[in-house]
Amino acid sequence: MKKLISKILNNDAFGNTLASLISIFLGLIVGLVVMVIFNRAGAWPGFLVMLQGGFSDGARGIGQVLYYTTPLILVGLAVGFSFQTGLFNIGVIGQFTIAAYVAIIIGGKLSMPASIHWIVALIGASLAGVIWAAVPGLLKAYFRVSEIISCIMMNYIALYLVNQLVHDTHYESTTAMSAYVKKTALMPKMGLDTIFPGSTVNSGLFIAIIMAILVYILLYKTSFGYSLRCCGLNRDASKYAGINETRNIIIVMLISGFIAGLAGGILYLSAITKNYKISELFINEPGYSIPVALLGMSHPIGIIFSSLFIAYIIVGGSLMQGYGFPVETVGIITAVLIYFSAFSLIFKNKVNKFALQFSYKESQKTDSFKNE
Amino acid sequence: MQHITKIFPRIVANDDISFQLRKGEIHALLGENGAGKSTLMSVLFGLYVPDGGRILVKGKEEKISDPHEANRLGIGMVHQHFKLVQVFTALENIVLGVETTRGGVLQMDEAREKVDALSKQYGLLVDLDKKIEDMTVGMQQRVEILKMLYRESEILVFDEPTAVLTPQEIDELIKIIKELAAEGKSIIFISHKLDEIQQVANRCTILRKGKFIATVNVAEATNEQLSEMMVGRKVMLQVEKDEPRVGEVALHVEDLVIKAPGLSERNKVNHVSFDVRKGEIVSIAGIENNGQHEVVMALTGLMPVNSGKISLNGEDITDWSVRKRNYKHISHIPEDRHKHGLILDFDLANNFILQSYFTEKFCNHGFLNSHSIQNYSTELIKQYDIRSAKGPDTIVKSMSGGNQQKAILAREMDRTHDLLIAVQPTRGLDVGAIEYIHKQLVRERDNGKAILLISLELDEVMNVSDRILVMFNGEIVANVFPKDVSERDLGLYMLGSKVGV
C-alpha cells in the first residue's frame, strides 16, 4: 500500500496535476480574503456562487463555460506550443486581433453559401494570424531580434490598425462596434445548441480540442516535434546535433500564429452579437493565453483543462456582480486566482521533494525490516 | 561534520557522513563523481540545508544557513572555476565585498599593506596592480587564495585546484598549500588525482556513493589501496594497449585559420595543419584557450572557418553542414556534456537519438518509432553498462556525471563514423570511469577508426595517445611520440617552446 502511494507520488503526471490543484486552492483562499476586504457581507455568498460557476445557471451556464473555454484552449496552445520550443510568442494578442478583423470582413462583406462561408472566413483569419506571426519569426530567425520585443510591437500595430480598419470598412456607429457578420458565416452549432440551449457554444470547441490533440501528436510523436523540443530545451545541443534552428523558429512561429488566428476567427464568428469593439484596450481572451499555458504546464492536454478552469472562474466571477461586487473587483479576484495558478511550477517542485522524502523514509523502513 | 545526510530527487547524496578536520592539517577528500564530495562541501558552506546531522566549528555547534555565515566562521573556498572579475586588478578582486571605506571613499592603501603582508608571509607573490584577464591561470589561483586569507579564513577548501594547471604550476601550488598548513591553516583538498594526494595530504577521507568509507593516514596507504576504496574494486591505473596498426590518412587539416572575434590581430587558430590516420589516437595537448576549442568547432562544423581546408577520407568537408558531418562521418564527444552533449530534461532514450532521430531506423514517415527507440536504448544501456534508475525512461539530469558521460560515449561510439573526436572525455570523472573510457577509446582505435583526443590532462595524453600534438597560441608547436618525451617536456612545449614541427 505504502509502496503504491510512493509510486503514485513519484509519477510526473500526478505531480503536475497535484501542483496545479494546490495552486488553485491557495488562489481561491487569497481570492476570498480579497472579497472580504471589499465587501464583508457579500463575500461568502459571492464566493460560493463563483465556485458554483457555470453550474449555477443550468445547461446554459455549462454551455457558456464551454463557449469561453474554446478560444482559451487555442490561445493557450499557441503560447504553450511556442514555450515548449523555447520561443515566447507573446504576440498571440496581435495575431488574434488581426485574425478577428479578417474573419469579420470575410463574414460581413462577402456572400457565400452557409456550408463554406464560415470555413473560408476561418481560413482567412488563420492566415492573417500566420502573417502577423511571420514577422517576429523571421526577425528572430535571421537577425536574432528578440521575439518578445517584436511581438509586443506587432500587438500595438494590430490593435490600432484594426481599430482604424473596422472604423473605415465595417462599422456600426450606433453601437460603436464592428457591423454584423452574415448568418452564413457563423460557426455551425453541430447540435450543441440543443444540449446547451440559450448558450453561444459552437463547433469551435471541437476544432479547439482537435487542435490540442494535433499539437500533442506533433510535439511528442513526430521527428519534427522532437527537433522542436530539442531546440526548446537545449539550443546548444541542438546545434551540436545538426538541427536547423533557423527553420524551426520560423515554422514554430507560423504554427503558433495559425492557432492564434484560428482562435480570433472562431470567437468573432461565434454569434451574431459578438462584434469587435473599438477600444484602446486589447481584447480580453488572448490576454489569458499565458496563464492558461502556465497552469497547463504548456502541455496540450493540460491546456484543455486549465482553459476549462479559467473559463469556469470567468463565468462564476461574472455572476458575483449580483452580490454587490463591481465588475472591477470581479476582475481583481479572477486575476488573483490566475496569478496563483502561475505558481504551479513552484508547487510542482515541492510535491516532488515531498514524494522523494516519503519514498526515502519508506525504503529505510523496508531496509530495516530486511535487517531484522 | 557529524552524521550529515542530504537527500536529493531520487538520490541520497550524503548518507550519514562524518568528517573531521584538525587544525593545521591537510585533509584530502577523495571520491568518484557523484560520491557526494561537492554536496558535503555545499552543506559546509550553507548552500544546502542538511536533512540530518550537525556541524561543529571549533567545538561549537553551528547552523550554517548561507555562505556569509560560513565566511564569518572562517571557512573559505577556492573554486575550480575562479570567481574573479576579469577587468579588475588583483588587489581590487581581493578586497571586493569587504572593502575598507571612510566616508564612502575606498581606502586601498590599508588593504594593500595587509595584502602585501599576507603574500610575503605565505610566499604568494602576485602583481597586485595587474588585471585578472592578463594573468596566467596559476596567478589567478593565487589571487583566489589571497582573497580567502584576506578574509581571515581559517579553513580553506580547494576544489580540484590542479585541474587547470601545468606540472610546474602544480609543484608551486603544492608548496604554497604546505606553507599554509604549516602556518596553522586547516585545509580540505578535493581531488581525484592520487599522486597529488600522496604528495600533499596528511589524512584522506574517502566517500563512495554518498557513504563514508574510511579516513586513512595517507602515509600508510598506497595509490592502489586508495583507488580500490574509492571505486570499490581493483582498478588498472595504466592503460593497456598494443602498438597501433596505423592505416591511411583519415582526417587531413591544411592551413586552417580562424580569426579571433573582435579587433584582436592574433588568429585563434593560426595556419594549423595536421593529419590523423586510421587506427591511431592523436591527441592535442595544451593549456586551455590556446586554440584547441576552435579547432574542434571547425572540424565539427559548429564554427565557420576563415581559410584552410578540412578533408575526411580524401573528401573536402570544409563546407558541409553539421548534420552532413554527423551523419555517418564524424562522432564527437563534446567538451561540455551539459551544454552540448545532452538534453538534460530528456530521458536517456531521447538523448540516444539526438543526431539520428530522423533516420529510417527511428522514424517512419515523420513519426517517431518509439518501439525501436526503446529497444535501441535498452541495448546501449546494457552494452555500455550505464547505471540508470528507470532504464531508457531515466531523465538524464538525475544521473551521475560518469553515467551521463557513458551515455554520450555509447551514442557516439555506436553511430557510424570514420573519425571520433573526443574532447576531454574524462573530465571530472573518477578513476573507474576513466579506465573504462580509455579502454573504449583504445578498442575503437583497434577497430581501425581515427581518433582525435583533446585533453588538458597530461596523464591522459601520455597514457592513451599514439602521437601527441601540442598547441600553443593557436599554433601546433610540437608533434611527438609519447615514448620520446616526458611530462616535463610536454609542460615546456605547452608554454611555447617549439620542437619537431
Side-chain angles (χ1 to χ4, degrees):
Chain A
M1 180 62 197
K2 285 272 173 64
K3 221 174 180 178
L4 186 73
I5 295 175
S6 157
K7 199 173 171 186
I8 294 174
L9 278 173
N10 277 310
N11 182 308
D12 279 344
F14 174 79
N16 285 349
T17 315
L18 186 63
S20 296
L21 290 179
I22 292 174
S23 46
I24 288 169
F25 179 71
L26 284 181
L28 284 172
I29 290 178
V30 177
L32 179 61
V33 171
V34 173
M35 289 169 77
V36 170
I37 294 169
F38 280 111
N39 175 353
R40 265 183 87 170
W44 186 244
F47 185 69
L48 289 181
V49 130
M50 184 181 70
L51 279 191
Q52 281 175 17
F55 290 118
S56 55
D57 201 11
R60 183 187 166 274
I62 298 171
Q64 279 316 93
V65 170
L66 294 176
Y67 163 71
Y68 280 111
T69 305
T70 307
L72 293 190
I73 293 177
L74 288 168
V75 292
L77 270 182
V79 170
F81 177 64
S82 72
F83 271 159
Q84 288 242 1
T85 57
L87 286 170
F88 190 3
N89 180 10
I90 204 172
V92 164
I93 300 172
Q95 294 141 24
F96 184 98
T97 309
I98 208 86
Y101 173 73
V102 172
I104 289 167
I105 285 298
I106 297 178
K109 293 275 186 190
L110 302 182
S111 295
M112 271 177 240
S115 54
I116 60 158
H117 196 175
W118 64 277
I119 297 177
V120 173
L122 264 193
I123 292 173
S126 309
L127 291 181
V130 168
I131 292 169
W132 223 248
V135 178
L138 291 169
L139 286 175
K140 169 91 180 181
Y142 290 110
F143 304 105
R144 299 285 134 184
V145 176
S146 159
E147 77 276 19
I148 298 179
I149 307 290
S150 53
C151 276
I152 292 173
M153 300 301 166
M154 292 301 282
N155 287 348
Y156 280 100
I157 297 173
L159 174 67
Y160 293 113
L161 185 68
V162 170
N163 278 349
Q164 191 62 43
L165 285 173
V166 166
H167 187 268
D168 293 349
T169 55
H170 199 59
Y171 188 57
E172 179 58 57
S173 55
T174 49
T175 55
M177 292 203 265
S178 62
Y180 298 122
V181 296
K182 292 186 174 139
K183 276 220 166 79
T184 47
L186 292 180
M187 299 292 298
K189 296 283 188 189
M190 291 193 175
L192 286 170
D193 50 344
T194 47
I195 308 174
F196 308 107
S199 86
T200 35
V201 61
N202 56 61
S203 57
L205 180 67
F206 301 130
I207 296 179
I209 291 173
I210 290 169
M211 282 309 292
I213 295 169
L214 285 179
V215 168
Y216 171 77
I217 293 173
L218 175 73
L219 271 178
Y220 293 96
K221 302 291 173 195
T222 69
S223 58
F224 176 60
Y226 174 88
S227 78
L228 292 182
R229 284 185 295 136
C230 284
C231 288
L233 290 169
N234 188 340
R235 204 146 270 184
D236 293 306
S238 313
K239 255 186 222 145
Y240 157 85
I243 291 169
N244 186 341
E245 193 197 4
T246 309
R247 185 194 67 166
N248 280 0
I249 289 173
I250 297 170
I251 298 179
V252 167
M253 282 306 280
L254 297 185
I255 294 177
S256 186
F258 179 87
I259 301 171
L262 205 51
I266 287 174
L267 186 64
Y268 283 88
L269 298 174
S270 55
I272 205 93
T273 48
K274 185 75 193 174
N275 298 305
Y276 182 85
K277 188 175 167 203
I278 292 180
S279 155
E280 295 284 301
L281 299 173
F282 287 116
I283 306 172
N284 263 330
E285 283 79 359
Y288 289 111
S289 56
I290 296 165
V292 165
L294 286 178
L295 185 60
M297 302 274 175
S298 293
H299 192 285
I301 308 304
I303 285 169
I304 296 181
F305 290 101
S306 62
S307 305
L308 262 175
F309 167 71
I310 289 182
Y312 187 81
I313 292 295
I314 293 172
V315 171
S318 66
L319 296 171
M320 269 162 46
Q321 289 177 54
Y323 292 83
F325 289 94
V327 177
E328 289 78 11
T329 319
V330 175
I332 292 176
I333 291 156
T334 42
V336 165
L337 261 174
I338 292 165
Y339 194 80
F340 263 81
S341 64
F343 290 157
S344 44
L345 268 180
I346 299 172
F347 296 118
K348 186 181 166 189
N349 291 337
K350 292 271 176 225
V351 169
N352 285 347
K353 188 164 165 71
F354 172 76
L356 199 79
Q357 284 180 338
F358 183 83
S359 36
Y360 174 70
K361 278 175 195 146
E362 285 308 308
S363 70
Q364 292 292 80
K365 269 186 210 160
T366 41
D367 282 350
S368 56
F369 284 135
K370 268 182 216 152
N371 291 342
E372 283 160 19
Chain B
M1 301 179 87
Q2 294 180 340
H3 306 294
I4 299 294
T5 297
K6 175 73 196 170
I7 311 166
F8 281 130
R10 303 188 214 294
I11 209 156
V12 184
N14 283 169
D15 192 352
D16 195 16
I17 290 177
S18 298
F19 176 84
Q20 186 198 41
L21 179 68
R22 294 185 193 138
K23 190 167 167 57
E25 87 165 330
I26 303 174
H27 195 138
L29 193 55
L30 178 67
E32 297 190 281
N33 253 69
K37 297 172 309 219
S38 314
T39 311
L40 190 65
M41 289 302 113
S42 301
V43 168
L44 180 62
F45 272 87
L47 292 169
Y48 294 139
V49 181
D51 294 307
R54 57 198 196 128
I55 301 170
L56 300 155
V57 180
K58 291 178 191 147
K60 214 171 111 221
E61 178 163 358
E62 303 278 2
K63 282 255 174 304
I64 303 178
S65 51
D66 61 67
H68 290 292
E69 189 68 23
N71 279 331
R72 199 182 58 73
L73 293 167
I75 306 171
M77 182 149 180
V78 177
H79 293 271
Q80 194 178 0
H81 300 283
F82 308 137
K83 316 259 182 220
L84 296 171
V85 182
Q86 290 288 321
V87 295
F88 276 14
T89 64
L91 185 62
E92 285 167 336
N93 265 292
I94 290 166
V95 301
L96 187 66
V98 288
E99 305 89 347
T100 341
T101 55
R102 204 162 293 148
V105 181
L106 274 176
Q107 301 293 322
M108 288 306 250
D109 291 339
E110 282 175 32
R112 182 182 298 273
E113 270 173 39
K114 193 175 162 192
V115 175
D116 268 339
L118 283 171
S119 62
K120 286 213 184 77
Q121 188 182 351
Y122 297 100
L124 284 159
L125 297 177
V126 175
D127 182 353
L128 291 178
D129 298 313
K130 212 170 182 182
K131 284 187 181 160
I132 296 298
E133 56 187 359
D134 300 327
M135 288 185 170
T136 62
V137 180
M139 278 295 157
Q140 294 184 15
Q141 195 171 45
R142 289 184 180 190
V143 175
E144 278 275 2
I145 297 172
L146 276 173
K147 219 165 112 184
M148 295 307 132
L149 295 173
Y150 187 77
R151 284 161 178 71
E152 288 162 6
S153 301
E154 288 300 318
I155 300 172
L156 302 174
V157 183
F158 287 86
D159 186 8
E160 298 191 24
T162 59
V164 288
L165 302 181
T166 61
Q168 286 80 1
E169 287 173 320
I170 291 175
D171 288 347
E172 282 174 41
L173 175 71
I174 285 179
K175 228 164 48 192
I176 291 168
I177 291 181
K178 285 190 166 160
E179 185 75 19
L180 289 169
E183 294 278 341
K185 306 279 181 193
S186 314
I187 288 161
I188 301 176
F189 185 89
I190 304 175
S191 181
H192 11 247
K193 292 186 191 161
L194 299 168
D195 290 332
E196 285 167 19
I197 289 177
Q198 290 283 2
Q199 269 184 54
V200 73
N202 307 115
R203 290 194 299 161
C204 175
T205 291
I206 299 127
L207 305 181
R208 185 167 78 225
K209 289 181 186 155
K211 289 198 168 62
F212 171 83
I213 301 298
T215 297
V216 295
N217 283 326
V218 173
E220 293 159 17
T222 64
N223 274 358
E224 280 68 27
Q225 287 167 331
L226 287 177
S227 65
E228 200 180 324
M229 277 191 267
M230 166 165 79
V231 186
R233 62 181 166 84
K234 286 211 183 302
V235 188
M236 285 296 303
L237 294 173
Q238 284 290 322
V239 182
E240 280 185 340
K241 57 174 186 154
D242 303 327
E243 281 298 304
R245 289 190 304 275
V246 179
E248 56 201 273
V249 173
L251 174 73
H252 175 68
V253 177
E254 203 178 301
D255 209 22
L256 187 71
V257 175
I258 298 172
K259 293 209 167 75
L263 296 168
S264 168
E265 290 192 358
R266 194 164 60 85
N267 289 332
K268 271 287 185 190
V269 176
N270 199 10
H271 302 283
V272 161
S273 306
F274 64 94
D275 286 341
V276 182
R277 291 168 176 274
K278 284 180 182 163
E280 73 169 341
I281 300 178
V282 174
S283 56
I284 301 183
I287 302 170
E288 210 160 0
N289 216 359
N290 271 296
Q292 308 97 310
H293 172 77
E294 284 74 16
V295 168
V296 171
M297 287 305 194
L299 292 180
T300 50
L302 291 165
M303 191 184 264
V305 170
N306 291 95
S307 71
K309 197 177 124 184
I310 302 166
S311 42
L312 192 63
N313 291 339
E315 220 174 333
D316 187 349
I317 64 163
T318 320
D319 296 326
W320 284 16
S321 69
V322 178
R323 171 158 294 177
K324 200 167 173 195
R325 292 182 207 216
N326 276 344
Y327 187 60
K328 293 191 176 171
H329 293 94
I330 298 177
S331 278
H332 173 199
I333 299 173
E335 182 175 359
D336 187 333
R337 56 178 166 263
H338 290 170
K339 191 175 171 202
H340 288 110
L342 293 166
I343 295 187
L344 291 173
D345 294 305
F346 269 174
D347 57 21
L348 259 178
N350 273 323
N351 270 293
F352 282 141
I353 59 169
L354 192 58
Q355 296 104 327
S356 41
Y357 66 91
F358 57 90
T359 55
E360 259 174 43
K361 191 169 173 189
F362 304 121
C363 183
N364 286 330
H365 307 291
F367 284 88
L368 292 176
N369 183 342
S370 61
H371 185 67
S372 70
I373 294 171
Q374 287 282 324
N375 283 348
Y376 177 67
S377 308
T378 319
E379 202 179 291
L380 282 190
I381 288 170
K382 214 171 108 194
Q383 195 183 337
Y384 287 84
D385 187 30
I386 299 164
R387 314 271 166 80
S388 55
K390 297 179 180 175
D393 299 332
T394 315
I395 300 296
V396 171
K397 209 193 311 197
S398 70
M399 292 166 44
S400 73
N403 279 306
Q404 290 177 351
Q405 189 70 358
K406 271 187 180 177
I408 297 178
L409 187 83
R411 182 183 71 207
E412 298 306 314
M413 292 277 201
D414 199 75
R415 276 171 46 216
T416 320
H417 60 270
D418 304 312
L419 170 70
L420 172 67
I421 302 174
V423 188
Q424 301 212 50
T426 57
R427 183 190 222 174
L429 301 188
D430 53 80
V431 208
I434 292 175
E435 178 199 26
Y436 179 82
I437 286 174
H438 285 168
K439 260 191 196 159
Q440 294 293 329
L441 289 178
V442 172
R443 199 195 66 171
E444 197 66 2
R445 174 199 80 165
D446 293 340
N447 287 340
K449 300 284 159 67
I451 295 169
L452 183 65
L453 172 71
I454 286 85
S455 178
L456 303 175
E457 309 268 351
L458 281 183
D459 278 353
E460 178 165 274
V461 168
M462 290 294 277
N463 250 327
V464 181
S465 41
D466 301 314
R467 192 152 58 86
I468 303 171
L469 307 171
V470 182
M471 269 193 98
F472 175 74
N473 242 340
E475 289 173 23
I476 289 181
V477 293
N479 180 1
V480 291
F481 293 99
K483 61 178 191 307
D484 301 335
V485 285
S486 68
E487 286 202 14
R488 224 138 254 289
D489 295 337
L490 279 184
L492 286 175
Y493 298 150
M494 284 157 71
L495 296 167
S497 335
K498 287 201 185 196
V499 179
V501 191

